[in-house]
């Protein structure tokens, strides 16, 4: 009798555990399917190196899905890891590190990416001697990578300057001119200050570059990062606001030399090997040039009053960070339509898509069908023959068929195209070719892993 009771109790306990386990697995599967559906709303894939999963070797342990700092890039479907939100991947490589069977390798975003990447030496020098490229324009989108490259690039320039002695210096020629004040550019400027170089930083927009207009609540780094002259950021997850606050502190330094609101239009190298950097306002001469332009290029702005407000953005990564908001999306291309649909599927959002023409004419057939479905379900309101005329703190003035309407608004996304940096680089003569971004990214990931292990050992 006692044996029977013990057997029944054991069966009940095992049953409860199994029920809990199966319930958990079902929820994981539901979340994976939700992530997959969300991923289908975007047609753009990974923009940098990303994981390739060998389904034959994958054992379904889900370690890769849990370690990704970017969230639901990977998910478990049918017992295997798959990429469901590739556009969010920026190549941290942690998924490849944790895979216990080596089923994940890091590969380039696409075969064309190598051809569209400027050729760089290990010191980040382009095919034009003494002209350097740092940051995501070189192929990797990691913030830490950009900061490290800005610092190391200036070390190379400082060593060259020192080897040539003071005879090279001239009061009207900078040792180095830095184009761009994002993570890489700021790091380069601080290092130039530290190395006592005569430098200048030029930026067409606001300090912080792409990150200043980043629609992310959090920016992720795989390990602590160190800015020259300011020490380490020990946190591996920072808010955009924390970084911008730090950069504004940097901006207040008397020795931080920055000219804002100047877009570089041309760079030429003279017979004396000195560069002339031309903007609409002035010309500058420098022995070396560091391009820290970012990869997304300059977004085309509308010139609408209030466009400088923080709520106005030009790039959307994670739509799921925005809920219960009144949102305006401006544009008629695939990026605008996909952003509107992604935002419209979030809880409580009221999304209006404004397009200046009377119908969509240049979007993919898949997007054409899905936007019609989103409108039918009330997820997105499309207003043709319309254009914003003013952005206010809590509203937007929209001109519709010649009449002005004011609608409540929390956020605005503008997708009006832009000038890709590759066109500018080719214009000034920089050569393009294949480079092994996978090797570079893997080296970065291994370095981060070593640093984390060292930190744990120290504790």
């Amino acid at each position: 009798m006692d044996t029977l009771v013990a057997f029944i109790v054991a069966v009940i306990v095992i049953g409860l555990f199994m029920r809990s386990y199966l319930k958990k697995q079902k929820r994981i599967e539901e979340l994976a399917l939700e992530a997959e559906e969300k991923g289908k709303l975007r047609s753009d894939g990974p923009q940098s190196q990303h994981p390739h999963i060998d389904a034959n070797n994958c054992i379904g342990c889900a370690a890769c899905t849990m370690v990704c700092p970017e969230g639901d890039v990977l998910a478990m479907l049918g017992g295997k890891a798959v990429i469901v939100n590739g556009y969010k991947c920026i190549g941290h490589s942690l998924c490849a590190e944790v895979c216990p069977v080596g089923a994940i390798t890091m590969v380039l975003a696409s075969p064309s990416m190598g051809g569209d990447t400027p050729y760089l030496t290990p010191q980040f020098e382009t095919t034009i001697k003494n002209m350097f490229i740092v940051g995501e324009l070189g192929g990797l989108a990691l913030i830490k990578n950009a900061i490290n490259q800005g610092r190391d690039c200036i070390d190379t320039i400082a060593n060259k300057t020192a080897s040539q002695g003071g005879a090279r210096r001239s009061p009207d020629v900078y040792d180095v001119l830095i184009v761009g004040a994002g993570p890489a550019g700021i790091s380069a400027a601080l290092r130039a200050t530290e190395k006592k170089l005569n430098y200048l930083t030029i930026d067409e927009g606001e300090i912080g570059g792409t990150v200043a207009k980043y629609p992310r609540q959090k920016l992720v780094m795989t390990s602590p990062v160190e800015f020259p002259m300011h020490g380490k950021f020990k946190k591996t997850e920072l808010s955009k606001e924390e970084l911008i606050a730090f950069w504004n502190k940097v901006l207040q330094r008397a020795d931080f030399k920055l000219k804002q609101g100047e877009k570089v239009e041309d760079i030429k190298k003279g017979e004396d090997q000195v560069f002339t950097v031309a903007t609409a306002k002035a010309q500058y001469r420098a022995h070396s040039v560091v391009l820290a332009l970012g990869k997304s290029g300059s977004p085309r702005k509308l010139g609408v009053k209030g466009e400088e407000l923080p709520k106005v953005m030009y790039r959307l990564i994670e739509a799921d960070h925005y809920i219960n908001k009144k949102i305006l999306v401006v544009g008629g291309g695939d990026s605008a339509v996909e952003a509107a649909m992604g935002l419209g599927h979030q809880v409580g959002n009221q999304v209006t898509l404004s397009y200046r023409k009377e119908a969509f004419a240049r979007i993919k057939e898949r997007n054409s069908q899905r936007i019609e479905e989103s409108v039918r379900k009330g997820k997105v309101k499309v207003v043709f023959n319309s254009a914003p005329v003013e952005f206010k703190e809590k509203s937007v003035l929209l001109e519709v068929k010649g009449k002005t309407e004011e609608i409540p608004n929390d956020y605005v996304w503008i997708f009006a195209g832009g000038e890709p940096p590759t066109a500018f680089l080719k214009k000034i003569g920089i050569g393009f070719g294949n480079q092994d971004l996978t090797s570079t990214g893997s080296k970065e990931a291994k370095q981060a892993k070593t640093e984390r292990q060292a930190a744990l050992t120290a504790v």
Side-chain angles (χ1 to χ4, degrees):
M1 186 65 180
D2 291 342
T3 304
L4 179 61
V5 171
F7 176 76
I8 293 173
V9 170
V11 169
I12 292 173
V13 171
I14 293 172
L16 290 173
F17 275 115
M18 285 299 297
R19 181 184 177 188
S20 176
Y21 172 78
L22 292 173
K23 187 176 180 181
K24 182 178 179 181
Q25 290 302 114
K26 183 180 179 181
R27 181 56 182 158
I28 290 174
E29 186 80 8
E30 288 173 351
L31 291 174
L33 291 171
E34 287 176 13
E36 183 184 37
E37 286 303 309
K38 183 175 65 175
K40 289 178 181 177
L41 294 175
R42 296 283 291 258
S43 61
D44 48 334
Q47 300 303 301
S48 63
Q49 65 163 10
H50 71 285
H52 170 73
I53 303 165
D54 185 341
N56 292 325
N57 289 336
C58 176
I59 60 175
C61 67
C64 56
T65 66
M66 293 184 286
V67 76
C68 179
E70 298 302 320
D72 54 355
V73 172
L74 303 173
M76 299 302 299
L77 289 172
K80 302 286 184 178
V82 295
I83 299 175
V84 292
N85 285 292
Y87 64 91
K88 293 170 66 173
C89 180
I90 60 174
H92 287 291
S93 301
L94 295 181
C95 52
E97 282 186 50
V98 301
C99 181
V101 294
I104 298 178
T105 54
M106 301 305 293
V107 299
L108 296 182
S110 67
S112 65
M113 183 180 174
D116 288 336
T117 302
Y119 175 80
L120 302 177
T121 69
Q123 290 74 39
F124 317 113
E125 192 170 24
T126 69
T127 52
I128 301 174
K129 189 176 180 181
N130 294 323
M131 182 179 288
F132 301 79
I133 287 177
V134 294
E136 67 174 355
L137 189 55
L140 294 176
L142 303 181
I143 293 176
K144 178 181 177 179
N145 192 65
I147 293 168
N148 289 344
Q149 286 186 3
R151 178 196 64 217
D152 295 344
C153 178
I154 294 297
D155 286 346
T156 299
I157 294 171
N159 291 336
K160 284 187 178 183
T161 302
S163 67
Q164 294 177 1
R168 178 184 175 185
R169 297 198 172 202
S170 173
D172 65 334
V173 180
Y174 292 102
D175 291 323
V176 58
L177 191 138
I178 302 162
V179 183
I186 292 172
S187 177
L190 292 175
R191 191 63 149 194
T193 301
E194 195 172 45
K195 293 290 184 178
K196 295 181 170 52
L197 296 178
N198 180 23
Y199 82 95
L200 177 67
T201 301
I202 299 175
D203 195 282
E204 64 174 297
E206 56 190 308
I207 189 168
T210 303
V211 176
K213 284 292 186 183
Y214 228 38
R216 282 191 155 158
Q217 305 295 332
K218 295 289 182 183
L219 303 172
V220 178
M221 291 175 280
T222 54
S223 61
V225 64
E226 184 169 357
F227 265 102
M229 303 186 75
H230 285 268
K232 277 190 176 182
F233 279 111
K234 295 184 179 179
K235 293 170 24 176
T236 56
E237 188 174 271
L238 296 169
S239 69
K240 178 180 76 172
E241 289 71 25
E242 285 175 305
L243 271 179
I244 297 299
F246 165 72
W247 287 333
N248 285 331
K249 183 179 177 182
V250 169
L251 189 61
Q252 293 170 10
R253 291 179 60 104
D255 53 5
F256 187 75
K257 301 171 184 175
L258 171 69
K259 284 193 178 286
Q260 291 179 269
E262 292 195 34
K263 182 178 180 179
V264 173
E265 297 178 342
D266 197 13
I267 302 176
K268 291 181 179 178
K269 193 174 187 180
E271 293 182 1
D272 58 358
Q273 303 304 302
V274 173
F275 292 99
T276 298
V277 181
T279 72
K281 297 180 180 179
Q283 290 190 346
Y284 307 93
R285 285 164 52 81
H287 292 294
S288 296
V289 174
V290 175
L291 300 175
L293 300 171
K295 192 167 64 176
S296 58
S298 304
R300 184 175 292 116
K301 298 189 177 181
L302 303 179
V304 171
K305 184 179 180 182
E307 195 169 355
E308 73 286 350
L309 291 173
K311 74 174 188 176
V312 180
M313 293 171 281
Y314 304 87
R315 182 183 181 190
L316 176 67
I317 300 177
E318 290 125 332
D320 47 331
H321 280 174
Y322 302 87
I323 60 174
N324 300 314
K325 302 297 181 184
K326 296 176 177 64
I327 295 168
L328 175 69
V329 178
V330 181
D334 286 305
S335 295
V337 169
E338 289 171 4
M341 290 190 297
L343 290 162
H345 279 73
Q346 303 309 308
V347 177
N349 283 345
Q350 298 176 34
V351 179
T352 300
L353 175 58
S354 168
Y355 185 40
R356 58 189 175 84
K357 296 184 178 181
E358 61 184 16
F360 298 119
R362 53 190 176 89
I363 62 175
K364 297 181 178 70
E365 179 62 27
R366 184 183 71 172
N367 283 336
S368 179
Q369 294 172 358
R370 286 181 172 170
I371 190 63
E372 287 180 7
E373 183 181 354
S374 294
V375 171
R376 187 167 61 251
K377 291 182 177 179
K379 300 288 186 181
V380 178
K381 177 183 178 182
V382 177
V383 183
F384 292 112
N385 297 309
S386 67
V389 293
E390 183 177 352
F391 302 120
K392 298 183 178 182
E393 288 288 346
K394 295 295 181 182
S395 66
V396 170
L397 295 183
L398 199 64
E399 186 179 285
V400 184
K401 295 180 180 179
K403 296 182 179 180
T404 301
E405 301 177 4
E406 184 167 6
I407 60 174
N409 178 262
D410 297 305
Y411 291 104
V412 176
W413 272 271
I414 297 172
F415 297 92
E419 179 183 339
T422 51
F424 173 74
L425 298 183
K426 291 176 180 177
K427 169 189 168 184
I428 62 177
I430 290 177
F432 280 63
N434 294 311
Q435 60 171 312
D436 191 355
L437 296 183
T438 299
S439 174
T440 305
S442 297
K443 181 180 178 182
E444 180 81 14
K446 288 176 182 177
Q447 180 186 346
K449 182 178 181 181
T450 301
E451 290 176 1
R452 288 195 301 276
Q453 289 174 340
L456 290 172
T457 303
V459 173

